[in-house]
Amino acid sequence: MTWRDGQCIVMDDRTFVLPVLPMAGDVCAAALERKTMTTVAAPGISSTAAALRRLYFARFAFALVWAAVTFAVADDLSPLAVTLLVIYPLVDVAAAIVDARASRATGSPALLYVNVAVSLLAAVGLAFAGASGVPATLRVWGAWAVVAGLVQLAVGLTRRKMGGQWPMIISGGLSVLAGGSFVAAASAADPALTNAIGYAIPGAVFFLIAALRLGRATKGN
């Protein structure tokens, strides 16, 4: 905001030239406050988008490696297979904590901490379910996929203005559907873990798409 020849000129995408009237000072102050808030908010969104982009790339790579390794040992519910199943929600816990720290400037991280609690419970549940067999493991895995998917969907909706979140919204919705199918599959005559493991692959693809789309947010803001 500048004064020139008794006029208030505010540069904020447009130039406002206001004559000096009794309310001109208040109008100029409000315009300056709005400009300041915009200037402060944009770097916050940009830095959050950059952090999320790095996180999404990391999650994409981890999910692919995890799926490849877990498929190789998924013929039976061995201790190694159970350990790998437990690791997946624990990585989700770590990712949610990183996400929460990175996004404090752009909104409340409450939903992400809900995700931390849910994924911790899932990890513990999978450790115990592994001793009971494949059906119990599928039920725990499916229940976690449903709840985690709902949280991911809600987080994505709250971040729509940031950009790059539609892949996360779609992924959350698909996770809910997939989780329900895992729970149903647990009642099959010969339940298998392969479909549950395959759940990680579309998730990885959506993380990659979201990371690529977030590149626009880091530049645009």
Side-chain angles (χ1 to χ4, degrees):
M1 179 182 70
T2 60
W3 287 91
R4 185 187 304 162
D5 299 329
Q7 295 177 321
C8 171
I9 302 174
V10 181
M11 299 297 298
D12 184 10
D13 294 331
R14 297 185 299 273
T15 302
F16 299 91
V17 182
L18 305 173
V20 179
L21 299 172
M23 296 297 293
D26 294 337
V27 173
C28 288
L32 178 60
E33 181 180 0
R34 185 167 60 252
K35 179 178 174 63
T36 302
M37 290 176 63
T38 302
T39 303
V40 171
I45 293 175
S46 181
S47 60
T48 299
L52 290 180
R53 190 167 187 253
R54 292 191 295 270
L55 177 62
Y56 291 169
F57 275 130
R59 296 207 64 179
F60 160 72
F62 166 77
L64 287 185
V65 173
W66 179 88
V69 174
T70 309
F71 267 126
V73 299
D75 291 338
D76 57 3
L77 203 57
S78 64
L80 177 57
V82 173
T83 300
L84 288 168
L85 290 172
V86 170
I87 286 174
Y88 197 90
L90 288 179
V91 169
D92 198 55
V93 169
I97 292 173
V98 172
D99 192 335
R101 290 177 177 175
S103 58
R104 286 183 183 276
T106 56
S108 171
L111 284 172
L112 294 168
Y113 288 124
V114 170
N115 193 35
V116 169
V118 169
S119 294
L120 279 174
L121 288 174
V124 173
L126 286 167
F128 283 99
S132 300
V134 172
T137 301
L138 283 174
R139 290 187 182 97
V140 174
W141 187 267
W144 171 62
V146 170
V147 180
L150 288 172
V151 173
Q152 184 178 7
L153 176 62
V155 171
L157 288 172
T158 63
R159 290 175 170 173
R160 291 193 313 277
K161 294 182 180 179
M162 181 184 298
Q165 292 303 303
W166 280 109
M168 294 293 93
I169 293 171
I170 296 171
S171 178
L174 291 177
S175 179
V176 173
L177 297 177
S181 71
F182 300 150
V183 173
S187 301
D190 187 21
L193 291 173
T194 51
N195 288 339
I197 297 167
Y199 159 82
I201 297 176
V205 173
F206 280 114
F207 276 122
L208 176 61
I209 296 172
L212 295 174
R213 289 181 62 86
L214 273 175
R216 300 179 183 178
T218 58
K219 296 175 183 177
N221 291 298

